[in-house]
Amino acid sequence: MVICPDRKIARWAAKPIETGHPGLTLTPLVIGPDNTPAITNVEEAAGNIGLAVVAAITKNDDPLFKDILGTLNQALSRIDRKLAGQYGHYINVSLTGVAQEEWGRLMAMQTYPYQGEYAESLLAEGRAEGRAEGKAEGEAKLLLKLLEMRGIAVSEEVRERIAGCEDTATLEAWFQRAFTVESADGLFV
């Protein structure tokens, strides 16, 4: 099964695939904007929450998109809080652009019970990302300090490359090399 919010991709994905085995042609099941209903009734959405979620994801170009998301948001408040939080997260990562911004706006404006867990999961992700960025930033500063203490000249280009690196494993490898290199460019060999 393929879920495609884009009509063009949905049409492409629905094309039969010849497998090379006589008489065996795979015809993918494609869920897209043209075969998914626009669900704007809260009772209907709550009664078939899976379809309502898929409809929201595939109908991001529909003129009723804001109504579809608003309906889904209300329907999620009627189901198990943990499951609703998981659906909320899935919706957030599945939408893009204006659609994702609208979902984020709904999450920020409303106070349905499931949103607490959803918001907590987003905060936890943000904290983890912040810790990783902070660690990389600290390692980059230490690396630059080590080069300075060794009297090795650091060009602006090298400084930017080191400061812009977010991969701690790479920074650690450069740090190890910094003890023996003759020039800052030697870090990257």
Side-chain angles (χ1 to χ4, degrees):
M1 181 177 300
V2 181
I3 299 175
C4 294
D6 182 275
R7 279 185 171 81
K8 184 177 177 182
I9 295 173
R11 282 193 299 274
W12 169 82
K15 291 180 181 176
I17 301 168
E18 295 299 329
T19 64
H21 188 277
L24 183 58
T25 301
L26 176 65
T27 305
L29 299 173
V30 177
I31 298 173
D34 295 330
N35 64 356
T36 308
I39 300 176
T40 57
N41 177 286
V42 177
E43 297 301 322
E44 182 182 357
N48 193 344
I49 199 71
L51 180 60
V53 168
V54 170
I57 293 166
T58 60
K59 293 289 190 182
N60 57 16
D61 289 331
D62 194 287
L64 296 173
F65 185 71
K66 286 185 179 184
D67 294 334
I68 294 168
L69 278 186
T71 299
L72 177 57
N73 193 26
Q74 291 178 44
L76 287 173
S77 72
R78 297 182 181 192
I79 67 169
D80 175 73
R81 184 182 298 186
K82 186 173 182 176
L83 181 60
Q86 291 171 343
Y87 276 131
H89 181 72
Y90 175 70
I91 294 162
N92 188 58
V93 299
S94 298
L95 296 175
T96 59
V98 174
Q100 190 178 53
E101 289 172 14
E102 177 64 17
W103 183 249
R105 186 186 67 76
L106 283 170
M107 294 294 97
M109 288 180 56
Q110 303 296 325
T111 56
Y112 294 113
Y114 78 90
Q115 292 168 326
E117 289 179 27
Y118 174 75
E120 284 299 317
S121 72
L122 291 179
L123 287 172
E125 284 177 29
R127 284 200 261 334
E129 288 175 12
R131 281 192 297 272
E133 288 172 9
K135 182 177 180 186
E137 185 179 320
E139 288 186 12
K141 285 181 181 179
L142 284 174
L143 174 56
L144 290 168
K145 189 68 171 170
L146 174 59
L147 292 170
E148 178 188 319
M149 290 174 62
R150 289 199 56 224
I152 295 177
V154 178
S155 68
E156 191 58 34
E157 182 182 324
V158 169
R159 185 176 302 282
E160 286 177 11
R161 184 170 178 187
I162 291 170
C165 182
E166 296 178 1
D167 181 39
T168 56
T170 299
L171 287 164
E172 288 169 10
W174 291 346
F175 190 81
Q176 291 296 321
R177 288 184 203 141
F179 286 99
T180 58
V181 296
E182 298 299 320
S183 71
D185 289 330
L187 294 173
F188 312 123
V189 175

